[in-house]
Amino acid sequence: MQLPSALLEHAVSEFSKLPGIGKKTALRLALHLLKQDTDKVRAFGEAIVRMREEIHFCQRCFNISDTLLCSTCSNPMRKQDLICVVESIRDVIAIESTQQFSGTYHVLGGVISPLDGVGPDQLNIEPLLERARSGDINEIIFALNPNIQGDTTIYYIQKKLLPSPIRFTTIARGISFGGELEYADEMTLARSLQHRMPVEQLRV
């Protein structure tokens, strides 16, 4: 793509590094910013930089937060003895959009996948085990994507915690095997949470 300005070309190159953004879309975004007032563009840039520099990951559950503890973990109205284990922050957002879950979360940051070189040590599993062993947890809901990697991760965590008085459940398989949580509609996610089943019913 031949552009009349090296500065524009650099901006397009940076935009195109974003997921799902091709060169044509990147050019459209860059040209749109050129039409805006300088103050608006500066505010846009500062918002991105500030987000990257100042946003925290919750010390307890690893969700994104503006403070050391996220709004869910610090909310006395949430069921602190109930943990919903998810793969990513996007999954937290998806579940929260259902308005059907009143517990807390734990973001693993991925799932165990030996073929991809991802083992338990690369994930936020040990902090979850510490939370579970504190004696304050009654139930852990595994809301991981229904695939081999998700089921393997569930099996590993449960095995690490057994024997335990904690109830281990997983969301109902209204989400098809091999599907991804973030793309499920809100009704399917809500029903999967309501009709969760014992982990023992899974077969890895």
Side-chain angles (χ1 to χ4, degrees):
M1 185 182 296
Q2 202 69 16
L3 298 176
S5 165
L7 293 174
L8 177 61
E9 190 170 340
H10 181 65
V12 169
S13 175
E14 292 303 310
F15 271 120
S16 64
K17 293 176 182 178
L18 296 172
I21 303 295
K23 289 286 186 180
K24 289 184 178 180
T25 302
L27 177 59
R28 190 162 59 248
L29 292 171
L31 291 176
H32 172 76
L33 290 179
L34 275 178
K35 296 177 183 178
Q36 307 303 306
D37 293 336
T38 302
D39 289 343
K40 288 184 178 180
V41 177
R42 184 177 290 109
F44 173 78
E46 288 175 353
I48 300 299
V49 172
R50 187 178 179 191
M51 176 194 71
R52 183 62 187 89
E53 291 180 346
E54 297 183 20
I55 206 163
H56 296 275
F57 290 96
C58 177
Q59 289 185 337
R60 182 183 297 164
C61 74
F62 298 93
N63 190 14
I64 54 176
S65 174
D66 293 336
T67 55
L68 294 180
L69 279 184
C70 70
S71 57
T72 300
C73 285
S74 60
N75 186 350
M77 302 302 292
R78 305 288 295 226
K79 297 177 180 177
Q80 300 293 327
D81 62 346
L82 176 61
I83 300 176
C84 182
V85 178
V86 297
E87 178 179 342
S88 72
I89 292 164
R90 291 193 302 268
D91 297 332
V92 174
I93 296 170
I95 293 173
E96 281 295 284
S97 69
T98 70
Q99 298 183 343
Q100 296 294 316
F101 182 66
S102 58
T104 63
Y105 294 94
H106 192 91
V107 181
L108 293 178
V111 287
I112 296 173
S113 180
L115 291 179
D116 297 320
V118 180
D121 293 340
Q122 280 80 54
L123 305 175
N124 299 322
I125 290 181
E126 191 57 40
L128 172 62
L129 300 180
E130 291 177 7
R131 289 180 69 185
R133 289 165 180 158
S134 69
D136 299 326
I137 305 302
N138 290 325
E139 181 180 357
I140 293 178
I141 305 171
F142 291 101
L144 302 181
N145 290 321
N147 52 33
I148 295 298
Q149 292 84 1
D151 287 355
T152 299
T153 306
I154 292 171
Y155 176 78
Y156 176 87
I157 294 172
Q158 186 191 26
K159 187 176 179 181
K160 281 286 186 179
L161 290 173
L162 290 177
S164 172
I166 297 174
R167 181 185 179 214
F168 298 101
T169 59
T170 182
I171 56 175
R173 293 299 168 91
I175 300 173
S176 61
F177 190 83
E180 294 190 14
L181 243 62
E182 65 175 298
Y183 300 119
D185 62 273
E186 293 177 6
M187 185 63 72
T188 299
L189 263 178
R191 288 177 176 171
S192 294
L193 282 167
Q194 291 170 354
H195 301 291
R196 57 188 180 272
M197 59 186 183
V199 165
E200 288 76 11
Q201 293 183 18
L202 288 179
R203 293 291 182 268
V204 179

